[in-house]
Amino acid sequence: MQEKNFYSPIFKSTKIFGASHFVKIGTKIITNKIAAIYLGAVGIGIIGIVENLLSILFGIVNFGLTSSSVREIALLNKESEEVKNKEKRMISIIYYWSLFSGLLGAVFFGLISYSFFKNTYPSNSSYLWFVLVAFYFVFFALFSARMSILQGRREIKKMVKIQVIISFIQMFLAIGCYFFFKINGIAIAILISAIVSFLVVYFNTKNTIRFKKNNLTLKQVFFEGLPMVKLGIILSLGTLINQLAFYVIRLFLKDFLSIEALGVFQVSYTILIGYLGIIFIVMSNDFYPQLCNLESDKPTFEKYINDQTQFALFLVVPLVLLMYLLAPQLVVLLYSNSFLDVLLILKIALIGLIFKTIAWPIGFISLVKGNKKLFFKQNLLSDIVNVICSVVCTYYFGLKGLGFAFAIVFLVSLLYNFFTVTKNYSFSYSIETKRIIVLSMVIGAIALLSFNWFDFSYQNPIIWALFITSSVYAVLKLKNKIQS
């Protein structure tokens, strides 16, 4: 029997989901450029730590509803009238729980806002604008509820349309707020963006997302929604801890170095996770559900992971080398000359992306197999190592220590993930995948060694040779795999 080739479906799904994400990245790039011009490193740093705080609080009060509600709606996505009534009832429960979580977030934010504001914002900033961000939680919770319902129904086109519209609106709002209100515009942009996001999704779904007409008691809402909340908490705990880890790192950088250093870290985080990390976000849209479907067929299951690993490396390795060539120009283009210290972080951190690319596909295995405890341990270890390495390396090496930390974290994740899936599920890479992994690591090591003789710039002949060779190799391999 001929072995199934997953390259073609992987390529198609990556292309489909990638289009909308690149629109979001484009608007984000423009927004960050304007922020760098009008707010400087201090403003960029504040944006990062405020967004981090909001993510942490929302992760706590939302009870993981954005994850678990997708599953609940997906299970009810049938055509019968009885199921439609059940769906309406579930939608009502999701909405009530989301509204409660939004109000709870507003209260929590109100309680801590003054202390956070005094320790983060410049003395001439307005607390009034900042405290109004409390309403962000209400609107964002209701927005997330409707988007989760769409995702559960797999109304992908409508989701993409809404996300693209919101991306452009948020960009124009942020630019206007930063231009007219400077530092105070950060809070104003966050609040108005949440309100507008809710309005956009509401008017695009008001005729399709319907509630159960009969009244539900608070007791019914609580007990019928409780299983969904319990599942959501388990699914979201890892994300919450990850946000807490980065929040601790940001606080350390602000106190140990400066608020300007925090801005540089935010830029590096945006480039590594927000821009380059989009590859993983795009691929995960289809990779995880497909992996679930193949779980019972071990040979096909492992073949899919091997193909996904190879495909990801063919994309990431040339991209990392291209960043080594163009990063100085891109940082100035996307931000300004005052952020060039980010190159100290990127020099080592970019190699960490290769480690992440290898670790990422096998990281899903424990979750697909239903071993939530092991999946949680994998993520917890990564977050603990991240905090420890970031603090220790920054203490001894300054900003460049953050680059070491990024690479160490994903190397440890790779080694631990591989050890656990090999031990628990007898997973193994194919010979071809092993060759590509070794080749990718060797290319990364040579690129890093080249900095002993050449600077971080487009004039590095060794990286040019590696980039051209790896790109041609990747294109030829992908073309051959997709057509076979």
Side-chain angles (χ1 to χ4, degrees):
M1 183 182 294
Q2 187 176 3
E3 198 173 42
K4 186 171 183 179
N5 178 16
F6 289 103
Y7 268 83
S8 183
I10 289 172
F11 176 74
K12 289 178 181 178
S13 64
T14 302
K15 183 172 62 174
I16 292 170
F17 288 110
S20 63
H21 283 288
F22 280 118
V23 170
K24 293 169 69 175
I25 285 181
T27 57
K28 189 69 174 177
I29 287 173
I30 295 172
T31 304
N32 287 338
K33 178 66 176 181
I34 299 300
I37 293 172
Y38 291 108
L39 307 183
V42 171
I44 293 290
I46 291 174
I47 290 173
I49 200 168
V50 170
E51 289 179 347
N52 201 175
L53 173 68
L54 296 180
S55 296
I56 291 171
L57 286 179
F58 188 76
I60 293 171
V61 302
N62 187 245
F63 312 115
L65 291 171
T66 51
S67 301
S68 58
S69 57
V70 173
R71 176 180 178 274
E72 295 297 324
I73 296 298
L75 292 174
L76 294 171
N77 192 13
K78 302 290 186 295
E79 292 299 324
S80 70
E81 195 63 34
E82 181 184 355
V83 172
K84 286 182 179 179
N85 288 329
K86 287 182 179 179
E87 185 191 59
K88 290 178 182 178
R89 187 179 183 88
M90 179 54 65
I91 288 173
S92 298
I93 292 170
I94 292 170
Y95 226 62
Y96 283 128
W97 270 96
S98 297
L99 179 59
F100 170 71
S101 73
L103 293 171
L104 188 63
V107 172
F108 278 8
F109 183 83
L111 292 174
I112 69 168
S113 60
Y114 186 74
S115 174
F116 178 87
F117 177 83
K118 295 298 288 184
N119 288 304
T120 305
Y121 272 73
S123 57
N124 60 343
S125 304
S126 170
Y127 171 66
L128 176 61
W129 284 116
F130 184 71
V131 74
L132 289 177
V133 172
F135 292 103
Y136 156 90
F137 290 92
V138 177
F139 290 101
F140 190 69
L142 298 179
F143 161 80
S144 300
R146 286 185 175 264
M147 290 299 286
S148 296
I149 292 165
L150 289 178
Q151 187 176 355
R153 291 175 169 179
R154 300 194 69 186
E155 295 185 30
I156 304 301
K157 289 184 178 179
K158 185 170 287 188
M159 287 180 65
V160 169
K161 173 188 172 184
I162 291 170
Q163 289 171 344
V164 169
I165 292 172
I166 289 174
S167 295
F168 281 108
I169 293 176
Q170 287 180 338
M171 178 185 72
F172 289 118
L173 283 172
I175 290 172
C177 289
Y178 297 160
F179 179 79
F180 289 107
F181 301 102
K182 300 301 186 289
I183 294 292
N184 290 325
I186 296 172
I188 299 171
I190 289 172
L191 175 58
I192 298 177
S193 293
I195 296 172
V196 170
S197 296
F198 168 72
L199 292 176
V200 170
V201 73
Y202 172 76
F203 285 111
N204 277 275
T205 59
K206 66 177 182 177
N207 294 324
T208 56
I209 296 180
R210 299 184 180 275
F211 300 89
K212 187 72 175 173
K213 296 299 183 183
N214 62 307
N215 294 327
L216 287 167
T217 65
L218 289 177
K219 184 177 180 181
Q220 289 173 319
V221 170
F222 177 78
F223 283 105
E224 291 184 36
L226 196 58
M228 176 178 62
V229 171
K230 289 179 178 179
L231 174 63
I233 290 173
I234 294 173
L235 294 175
S236 65
L237 192 57
T239 302
L240 178 60
I241 293 174
N242 179 259
Q243 290 293 330
L244 284 169
F246 276 107
Y247 187 70
V248 170
I249 293 169
R250 285 183 169 98
L251 288 179
F252 171 77
L253 293 176
K254 182 174 74 70
D255 294 336
F256 182 71
L257 296 177
S258 66
I259 191 71
E260 288 81 7
L262 183 60
V264 172
F265 169 74
Q266 178 62 25
V267 169
S268 71
Y269 180 84
T270 301
I271 291 173
L272 292 166
I273 306 298
Y275 298 156
L276 300 180
I278 200 70
I279 293 174
F280 306 106
I281 296 173
V282 168
M283 288 190 294
S284 66
N285 280 285
D286 192 55
F287 177 66
Y288 174 59
Q290 175 74 324
L291 204 59
C292 292
N293 293 332
L294 300 172
E295 188 270 333
S296 59
D297 185 351
K298 189 176 187 296
T300 308
F301 181 81
E302 292 194 355
K303 177 68 166 58
Y304 185 49
I305 294 173
N306 275 273
D307 283 1
Q308 183 70 74
T309 302
Q310 294 174 25
F311 184 88
L313 285 171
F314 288 148
L315 294 181
V316 169
V317 173
L319 189 58
V320 165
L321 295 170
L322 185 63
M323 282 298 297
Y324 272 133
L325 295 169
L326 302 179
Q329 289 74 30
L330 286 174
V331 170
V332 174
L333 176 65
L334 300 179
Y335 296 93
S336 69
N337 286 313
S338 59
F339 290 92
L340 283 174
D341 279 349
V342 77
L343 299 179
L344 296 172
I345 301 173
L346 294 181
K347 184 176 290 187
I348 308 295
L350 284 169
I351 296 300
L353 278 179
I354 297 177
F355 299 147
K356 180 179 180 179
T357 305
I358 305 167
W360 176 77
I362 58 175
F364 283 93
I365 295 178
S366 57
L367 182 61
V368 172
K369 296 291 185 179
N371 194 340
K372 295 183 178 66
K373 184 178 179 181
L374 178 57
F375 182 74
F376 178 76
K377 285 169 62 178
Q378 290 173 341
N379 288 282
L380 182 62
L381 174 68
S382 176
D383 292 327
I384 292 173
V385 173
N386 190 18
V387 172
I388 294 173
C389 288
S390 296
V391 171
V392 173
C393 291
T394 302
Y395 182 84
Y396 286 104
F397 303 106
L399 280 175
K400 68 173 66 173
L402 292 170
F404 287 116
F406 190 90
I408 292 170
V409 166
F410 286 111
L411 178 59
V412 171
S413 293
L414 168 59
L415 296 174
Y416 182 72
N417 287 357
F418 183 71
F419 170 76
T420 55
V421 299
T422 302
K423 178 183 176 182
N424 291 282
Y425 307 112
S426 301
F427 172 80
S428 62
Y429 285 118
S430 66
I431 295 175
E432 184 180 14
T433 303
K434 289 177 182 177
R435 288 173 180 165
I436 294 171
I437 288 174
V438 171
L439 179 62
S440 299
M441 288 186 169
V442 169
I443 289 173
I446 295 173
L448 203 55
L449 287 171
S450 73
F451 289 111
N452 289 322
W453 304 283
F454 301 97
D455 199 7
F456 202 142
S457 78
Y458 63 90
Q459 296 178 337
N460 188 324
I462 295 177
I463 294 182
W464 266 116
L466 292 172
F467 171 69
I468 294 171
T469 303
S470 63
S471 297
V472 171
Y473 177 75
V475 169
L476 292 176
K477 292 289 287 187
L478 284 171
K479 182 178 179 181
N480 180 58
K481 294 281 189 178
I482 291 170
Q483 292 177 348
S484 63

